Amino acid sequence: MREVILAKSAGFCFGVRRAVELAQKVAQSGQPYVMLGPVIHNDNVIADLEAQGVTCVHSVEEVPPGCGVIIRSHGEGKAIYDKLAEKGCPIADATCVNVSRIHEIVRDASQRGRQVVIIGDPDHPEVRAVAGWCEDAKIFRNQEELSVFLVQNEENQQKPLTMVSQTTSTDRIWTPCREKVKKECTNAEIFDTICNATCKRQSEAQSLAERCGAMIVIGDRKSSNTTRLAELCRAHCPLVYHISRAEELDRRMVSGVASVGITAGASTPGWIIKEVKNKMSDELNNAMEIEESFADMLEKSIKTLNTGDKVTGIVTGITATEVNVDLGTKHAGYIPISELSDDPTVKAEDVVKVGDEIETYVMRVNDVEGVATLSKKRLDTVKNWDTIEAAVEDKTVLEGVVTEDNKGGIVVNVKGIRVFVPASQTGMPRGADLSEMIKQHVKLRITEVNRSRRRVVGSIRAVAAEERAAKAAEVWENIEVGKKYEGTVKSLTSYGAFVDIGGVDGMVHVSELSWSRIKNPAEVVSVGDAVTVYVISYDPEKKKISLGMKDRSQDPWEKFTSTYEVGSVANVRVVKLMTFGAFAEIVPGVDGLIHISQIADHRIEKPGDVLEEGQNVDVKITDIDFDRKKVSLSIRALLNDNAAGEGEAEDAE
């Protein structure tokens, strides 16, 4: 005889029941009230309250001035109460008494200067509310996060510390945290604030899951305590379904199961639990009658399953932990999420949808419970090995993501298969830090496959070389003098810079980098810079390209002659010292000569006695040779002019 067993503690806890009753009382009062966030995590209850005129808002700013506000069972921080008081809003406080106790604990601890630590989900409204009653609360999901906080600074272990827990947490999370603080901290207060009703509900659910062939967990999918119930049940029962209403039940969920356990989260109303229990009982009875009526026919017609078989079925349901598949056999097939894809971040809904036909690999068959554990990932792996092997023959270019580096090279994940790329084939310079390539998407060619040893070798360099050769061919096909390219500086020498213009390197001579006189290309560009260059000349046979960077549209001589004339005074930069004088840059691209006799108003042995390269000095332009584009400069003439001017000023006095 099949049976449906309902857990004793299923459904509303005291705090949730109180919150719902308070909200319903307010709704019937006729006074305008809103819920500040859902009063509990159950869409059906919220919809019922909204139908009675109590709408839901999500911030204090949305509350009309003077309108009443229902504080949800999760509670709110002190700042919310203060804002509502400023707006003159009456408050119907539905905060759970257990949560209110935590508020008092952390508020008192904060006033005493203690560091408050909360163990819970930082995004959960209850945890955010608790943090709102103290200063600088630290929130950790588990013992691992807590350990990082304690060891990263020894001072944290010496602080007076007060630790509390989210009411819906579990002993599995809380106990390691409590023991860690006891061991590491010298001045700690620890308050076990997990709700007793939560502990009792979880204990009953686990005990029931051990006895039953399937478990139905009822509750809103946004409810954290219901989600935890489902997680705990899955550790003890192979078939666990998290539903919110009876409409989600399907006979195939419990096909071949002798007993079904039912539990419900703290936010699930009794009428939904009753609805599910009644429907589940009807489904089991109907299933038993059908199975008994057609037992002989099913035994003859339904095919058997064996581990290692490739089977095709229809996706009938998707949950947070598994995908249900109808195989057309007496076995209920399911794919654990971990066996759906090689990508751990992928969502099940992105891979399959209800109604899709899916080909899978049979991992395990449980004839007693009528369950078949399936894997799409493993079947994909077999197909991907075929693709990898074919890529060697076809010389196909594949794509993957670099996952790790080692002494000999890097590892690339290609369709879930590890491909080793030797350092010499990564395309990186010798001695480069290969860890910089981790998480990069790369293209590679497979060069070696040993399926029995699960060894695959590839080359990124080969693909890069082919792509570069293709780009180079395109450049040589379309190159012409004067054509502009956007390029990247690849290397520098004493005489110029080499620039990659798309598969081909061209050389910009130091004289073509700038109109200014420079000694080293590094004064103008650096390796890796993006630059605009133009073709000066090229030799297809020798594969050489001469490039320019300085703007030919600007004539430095025209700029000079339009700015200066004989007799003008200019501030110039000394660029080169010679035995007979010094060359100085007047404007970029135009230099003038200061003859040694014009450097000072007295005799000097050499220009270096007075000037040095890079120095800026004022000079007088004494001559301009327009035909030969030469300019004569004089410091002496300027000094004489200044002296004469001072003499005239003295005479005038």
Side-chain angles (χ1 to χ4, degrees):
M1 178 69 180
R2 294 186 174 182
E3 59 179 340
V4 177
I5 307 171
L6 177 63
K8 294 180 181 179
S9 300
F12 282 172
C13 65
F14 170 78
V16 171
R17 180 176 292 106
R18 172 179 170 274
V20 173
E21 290 176 351
L22 177 60
Q24 290 175 336
K25 182 178 179 181
V26 167
Q28 295 167 7
S29 69
Q31 299 299 317
Y33 267 84
V34 295
M35 294 176 279
L36 184 54
V39 68
I40 65 170
H41 275 159
N42 190 282
D43 287 344
N44 294 290
V45 173
I46 301 306
D48 181 61
L49 289 171
E50 289 184 336
Q52 298 180 57
V54 182
T55 59
C56 183
V57 299
H58 299 282
S59 67
V60 174
E61 288 70 23
E62 297 179 55
V63 179
C67 178
V69 175
I70 303 173
I71 300 294
R72 56 186 168 182
S73 60
H74 297 305
E76 293 290 353
K78 184 177 182 302
I80 298 297
Y81 287 85
D82 294 341
K83 289 181 180 179
L84 292 174
E86 291 176 5
K87 297 184 73 167
C89 298
I91 294 176
D93 199 337
T95 304
C96 172
V97 293
N98 291 323
V99 176
S100 295
R101 173 174 171 263
I102 304 176
H103 294 175
E104 294 173 3
I105 292 172
V106 300
R107 178 175 56 186
D108 174 67
S110 186
Q111 290 173 349
R112 290 186 288 128
R114 301 181 68 85
Q115 173 65 64
V116 174
V117 171
I118 306 170
I119 304 302
D121 182 352
D123 296 323
H124 195 280
E126 177 193 316
V127 175
R128 293 200 301 268
V130 171
W133 287 93
C134 56
E135 296 291 333
D136 190 30
K138 304 298 182 184
I139 305 171
F140 307 107
R141 291 183 175 83
N142 48 47
Q143 185 258 346
E144 288 78 12
E145 293 183 4
L146 174 63
S147 296
V148 172
F149 168 72
L150 294 177
V151 302
Q152 68 183 1
N153 189 338
E154 292 186 2
E155 293 182 3
N156 292 336
Q157 302 175 24
Q158 310 300 323
K159 291 180 180 178
L161 183 149
T162 298
M163 186 168 74
V164 297
S165 170
Q166 182 178 338
T167 58
T168 55
S169 187
T170 64
D171 285 335
R172 178 178 60 83
I173 296 173
W174 170 253
T175 300
C177 294
R178 180 187 61 203
E179 297 306 314
K180 184 69 176 179
V181 169
K182 283 184 178 180
K183 180 179 179 181
E184 302 290 344
C185 298
T186 58
N187 185 2
E189 296 176 345
I190 302 174
F191 294 88
D192 184 350
T193 52
I194 297 177
C195 177
N196 290 332
T198 299
C199 295
K200 184 177 180 181
R201 183 190 314 276
Q202 292 174 351
S203 177
E204 286 183 7
Q206 292 178 88
S207 177
L208 192 57
E210 290 176 347
R211 296 158 44 200
C212 297
M215 282 293 296
I216 305 296
V217 181
I218 314 168
D220 197 287
R221 288 181 172 82
K222 296 187 295 293
S223 168
S224 63
N225 72 81
T226 309
T227 302
R228 285 199 179 96
L229 274 180
E231 291 174 354
L232 293 170
C233 289
R234 287 190 181 96
H236 302 279
C237 181
L239 295 177
V240 177
Y241 303 98
H242 183 174
I243 66 172
S244 58
R245 292 289 300 271
E247 288 82 353
E248 298 175 38
L249 288 172
D250 191 300
R251 182 183 303 152
R252 286 171 292 188
M253 290 181 176
V254 293
S255 176
V257 175
S259 58
V260 177
I262 297 178
T263 187
S267 301
T268 308
W271 64 270
I272 291 182
I273 299 173
K274 183 177 180 181
E275 182 182 72
V276 171
K277 184 176 183 296
N278 290 340
K279 184 171 182 180
M280 195 74 263
S281 298
D282 292 342
E283 292 291 353
L284 279 178
N285 290 333
N286 292 337
M288 185 170 62
E289 291 175 4
I290 293 172
E291 288 174 9
E292 289 174 352
S293 302
F294 296 93
D296 293 337
M297 182 168 45
L298 289 173
E299 189 67 29
K300 294 177 182 179
S301 62
I302 294 181
K303 61 183 180 182
T304 59
L305 292 179
N306 297 297
T307 299
D309 286 351
K310 292 181 183 179
V311 293
T312 300
I314 303 297
V315 176
T316 58
I318 301 174
T319 71
T321 58
E322 62 188 36
V323 174
N324 301 310
V325 181
D326 182 2
L327 300 173
T329 71
K330 62 182 179 181
H331 296 88
Y334 77 95
I335 308 171
I337 294 298
S338 60
E339 292 295 327
L340 190 61
S341 171
D342 283 305
D343 186 353
T345 64
V346 75
K347 295 180 180 179
E349 293 81 359
D350 296 335
V351 180
V352 293
K353 293 179 174 56
V354 174
D356 284 356
E357 185 176 87
I358 185 171
E359 189 177 11
T360 63
Y361 170 90
V362 179
M363 293 170 56
R364 287 185 301 276
V365 179
N366 188 329
D367 289 320
V368 176
E369 297 181 356
V371 177
T373 307
L374 311 172
S375 173
K376 179 180 183 297
K377 179 174 73 175
R378 299 192 185 189
L379 184 59
D380 289 343
T381 299
V382 173
K383 293 180 177 179
N384 291 338
W385 272 104
D386 293 340
T387 301
I388 292 289
E389 288 182 331
V392 179
E393 296 293 330
D394 302 338
K395 296 185 178 181
T396 306
V397 175
L398 301 177
E399 296 185 17
V401 178
V402 180
T403 58
E404 61 184 271
D405 69 298
N406 52 47
K407 292 182 179 180
I410 59 174
V411 175
V412 181
N413 184 312
V414 179
K415 298 181 179 294
I417 296 173
R418 288 166 55 90
V419 178
F420 174 69
V421 179
S424 62
Q425 297 301 312
T426 60
M428 296 283 281
R430 184 187 296 272
D433 184 3
L434 298 182
S435 64
E436 295 179 359
M437 297 186 69
I438 293 176
K439 294 185 180 180
Q440 286 187 14
H441 287 263
V442 296
K443 294 180 180 179
L444 72 166
R445 192 181 298 288
I446 304 301
T447 58
E448 178 186 338
V449 177
N450 188 323
R451 192 163 183 171
S452 61
R453 297 178 58 191
R454 303 184 70 80
R455 172 180 169 81
V456 184
V457 181
S459 172
I460 298 172
R461 179 181 174 185
V463 176
E466 291 173 4
E467 291 181 345
R468 185 174 176 83
K471 290 179 180 179
E474 183 178 351
V475 169
W476 284 112
E477 184 177 347
N478 300 297
I479 195 169
E480 57 186 35
V481 173
K483 187 171 184 177
K484 290 186 177 181
Y485 290 93
E486 299 298 323
T488 303
V489 178
K490 302 299 289 185
S491 63
L492 301 178
T493 68
S494 60
Y495 53 84
F498 285 92
V499 177
D500 180 357
I501 58 174
V504 178
D505 288 350
M507 202 272 284
V508 184
H509 191 269
V510 65
S511 63
E512 293 295 334
L513 284 169
S514 170
W515 284 112
S516 298
R517 187 191 296 266
I518 60 173
K519 291 184 176 181
N520 192 312
E523 297 176 35
V524 180
V525 293
S526 301
V527 173
D529 284 355
V531 295
T532 301
V533 294
Y534 54 86
V535 178
I536 296 176
S537 63
Y538 60 94
D539 187 336
E541 293 183 2
K542 295 182 179 180
K543 300 296 182 183
K544 290 185 178 181
I545 302 175
S546 177
L547 303 171
M549 261 184 60
K550 60 186 183 184
D551 189 353
R552 293 285 185 181
S553 65
Q554 296 182 1
D555 187 336
W557 183 258
E558 288 184 4
K559 181 178 180 181
F560 164 71
T561 55
S562 65
T563 307
Y564 299 99
E565 60 185 15
V566 173
S568 296
V569 175
N571 184 267
V572 298
R573 179 172 62 91
V574 178
V575 293
K576 192 169 186 179
L577 297 178
M578 308 294 288
T579 57
F580 54 84
F583 285 100
E585 181 183 71
I586 308 169
V587 297
V590 176
D591 294 347
L593 173 65
I594 312 172
H595 192 270
I596 189 170
S597 64
Q598 299 300 313
I599 291 177
D601 56 3
H602 58 276
R603 182 179 178 81
I604 61 174
E605 293 296 327
K606 57 184 184 297
D609 293 340
V610 177
L611 302 175
E612 60 183 28
E613 291 183 4
Q615 181 181 355
N616 284 79
V617 295
D618 288 332
V619 298
K620 184 175 183 179
I621 299 174
T622 57
D623 185 54
I624 301 175
D625 186 338
F626 288 90
D627 293 332
R628 300 170 64 189
K629 294 186 178 180
K630 290 187 176 183
V631 184
S632 297
L633 308 173
S634 175
I635 299 174
R636 179 179 176 179
L638 188 60
L639 292 173
N640 292 338
D641 289 348
N642 292 338
E646 291 176 2
E648 291 176 1
E650 290 177 0
D651 292 342
E653 292 176 0

